[in-house]
């Protein structure tokens, strides 16, 4: 499908989406990698200004290598990769390699990518990119611990008012936690960074487990990805196969949730994602509930809220869009 036709399909089916200038901050990570493949595959809608990487699922050197590796598979070496924080703001690092494999990319064959990372470190790159462009013109997708964005906000507080929406994968309310009983991994891995971001007043759209658990790679959907014959689809299928294995092994069931891809799909097709204004606060002290997201829907002035929490996802529409992009 031509990019122009695909763009029409997205615009026609999912509502008019203007071209978005985007920074993707991630910790690839199997699902981060699928999210990157989707983002790289929609150049008609997403102008990716930079990828910034952070320690999370695996250590910082590997998340940066993995972002460069996926970039090469997608043929998008035009997009710079900036290496970010190797440790959280306060707490010790906590990896999730049991869900992503030692490499961070499951069973995907890894290699040293040709193109290097960019010179500037991630937080400075975020500041330089956002502050050199019109207010509200640069959005972010954050799919890992929020350390880089917190560091950037601390160094340049004006960023909060200048950044376009920041679409975050993180947190949980109804679904409970996935790394502890009450915390989702990205927030638990750096709760102090998340607290800085949500207190900064930057506009956020938050896809917690309440949303991402609605979007699952069922066997039928995975078969549809495998029926596509493109480099992106082949890589995505191998990543999703590993996600099925970890879901079966560590959680139970055969349909892994597509956490990080939801951020890109939300940017591409916001009409598929229902979000409501909330006040979101993060637990940063309690050893028992560290990283818990307290999501308050009862607001005195909903219009003043800077945070929107996704409560409902049209998951069939989301997967149809995923297939459309991977099939290009
Ligand atoms: O809880 C899911 C999140 O934690 C995803 O971003 C996944 O990549 C892991 O980082
Ligand atoms: Ca991630």
């Amino acid at each position: 499908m031509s990019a122009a036709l695909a763009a029409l399909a997205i615009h026609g089916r999912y509502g008019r989406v203007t071209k978005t200038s985007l920074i993707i901050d991630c910790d690839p990570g199997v699902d981060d990698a699928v999210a990157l493949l989707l983002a790289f595959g929609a150049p008609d809608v997403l102008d990716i200004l930079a990828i910034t990487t952070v320690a999370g699922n695996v250590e910082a050197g590997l998340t940066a290598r993995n972002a460069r590796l996926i970039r090469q598979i997608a043929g998008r070496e035009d997009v710079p990769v900036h290496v970010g924080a190797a440790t959280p703001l306060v707490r010790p690092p906590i990896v999730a390699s049991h869900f992503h494999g030692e490499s961070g990319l499951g069973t995907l064959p890894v290699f040293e990518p040709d193109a290097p990372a960019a010179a500037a470190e991630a937080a400075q790159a975020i500041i330089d990119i956002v502050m050199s462009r019109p207010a509200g013109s640069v959005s972010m997708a954050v799919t890992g611990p929020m350390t880089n964005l917190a560091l950037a906000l601390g160094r340049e507080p004006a960023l909060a008012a200048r950044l376009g929406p920041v679409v975050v994968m993180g947190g949980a309310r109804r679904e409970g936690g996935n790394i502890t009983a009450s915390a989702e991994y990205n927030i638990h891995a750096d709760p102090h960074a998340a607290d800085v971001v949500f207190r900064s007043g930057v506009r956020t759209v938050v896809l917690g487990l309440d949303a991402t658990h609605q979007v699952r790679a069922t066997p039928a959907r995975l078969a549809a990805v495998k029926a596509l014959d493109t480099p992106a689809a082949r890589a995505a299928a191998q990543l999703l196969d590993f996600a099925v294995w970890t879901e079966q092994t560590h959680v139970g069931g055969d349909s892994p949730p597509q956490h990080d891809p939801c951020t890109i799909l939300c940017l591409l097709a916001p009409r598929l994602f229902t979000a409501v204004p909330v006040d979101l606060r993060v637990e940063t002290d309690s050893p028992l509930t560290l990283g818990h997201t307290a999501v308050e829907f009862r607001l005195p002035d909903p219009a003043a809220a800077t945070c929107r929490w996704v409560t409902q996802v049209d998951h069939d529409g989301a997967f149809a869009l995923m297939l459309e992009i991977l099939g290009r």
Side-chain angles (χ1 to χ4, degrees):
M1 176 185 288
S2 73
L5 191 57
L8 187 63
I10 288 177
H11 298 164
R13 182 180 301 175
Y14 304 112
R16 173 78 191 136
V17 177
T18 55
K19 188 146 186 172
T20 298
S21 296
L22 182 67
I23 297 171
I24 302 174
D25 188 65
C26 55
D27 64 332
V30 166
D31 59 330
D32 304 74
V34 176
L36 289 174
L37 289 168
L38 293 176
F40 286 136
D44 44 292
V45 181
L46 299 179
D47 177 16
I48 307 172
L49 302 176
I51 305 293
T52 53
T53 60
V54 66
N57 289 320
V58 290
E59 55 93 5
L62 288 181
T63 58
R65 189 276 314 268
N66 293 342
R68 291 165 51 221
L69 187 150
I70 297 296
R71 174 181 67 171
Q72 183 163 321
I73 289 175
R76 292 299 307 275
E77 283 92 336
D78 58 299
V79 178
V81 172
H82 296 270
V83 183
T87 60
L89 294 188
V90 176
R91 61 153 297 155
I94 174 173
V95 295
S97 46
H98 53 306
F99 268 90
H100 298 273
E102 289 309 311
S103 72
L105 294 177
T107 55
L108 195 71
V110 295
F111 55 87
E112 182 54 30
D114 298 332
E121 57 88 23
Q124 195 55 48
I126 293 169
I127 294 167
D128 295 344
I129 291 168
V130 176
M131 300 309 288
S132 64
R133 284 170 171 79
S137 67
V138 178
S139 299
M140 280 188 78
V142 180
T143 66
M146 304 170 84
T147 320
N148 292 331
L149 181 51
L151 289 170
L153 285 163
R155 208 176 295 168
E156 177 52 86
L159 208 55
R162 204 169 184 90
L163 252 174
V166 177
V167 183
V168 171
M169 192 280 133
R173 183 175 189 273
R174 194 184 63 233
E175 288 291 300
N178 64 357
I179 191 74
T180 68
S182 52
E184 177 278 327
Y185 173 81
N186 285 339
I187 309 298
H188 181 73
D190 196 341
H192 301 86
D195 187 49
V196 165
V197 171
F198 289 117
R199 288 181 184 279
S200 73
V202 69
R203 285 181 295 136
T204 53
V205 177
V206 183
L207 291 142
L209 300 180
D210 297 11
T212 62
H213 280 184
Q214 298 177 40
V215 188
R216 291 182 177 269
T218 62
R221 288 168 171 169
L222 181 49
V225 174
K226 291 181 175 178
L228 301 171
D229 186 23
T230 64
R234 285 192 290 273
Q238 194 154 5
L239 292 160
L240 291 172
D241 267 340
F242 185 82
V244 169
W245 179 81
T246 56
E247 186 79 2
Q248 289 169 335
T249 306
H250 299 300
V251 182
D254 59 4
S255 302
Q258 295 307 294
H259 303 296
D260 296 339
C262 281
T263 62
I264 304 304
L265 294 166
C266 185
L267 281 160
L268 289 172
R271 201 184 272 182
L272 299 177
F273 295 78
T274 304
V276 297
V278 298
D279 179 61
L280 193 156
R281 290 284 172 258
V282 179
E283 176 57 60
T284 56
D285 299 319
S286 158
L288 175 63
T289 60
L290 187 69
H292 173 72
T293 45
V295 182
E296 178 59 79
F297 290 82
R298 295 160 298 197
L299 305 180
D301 179 9
T306 58
C307 180
R308 301 179 67 73
W309 179 259
V310 177
T311 57
Q312 192 69 35
V313 184
D314 171 355
H315 50 81
D316 286 329
F319 256 88
L321 179 54
M322 184 186 278
L323 287 173
E324 203 170 65
I325 294 170
L326 293 176
R328 293 177 182 175

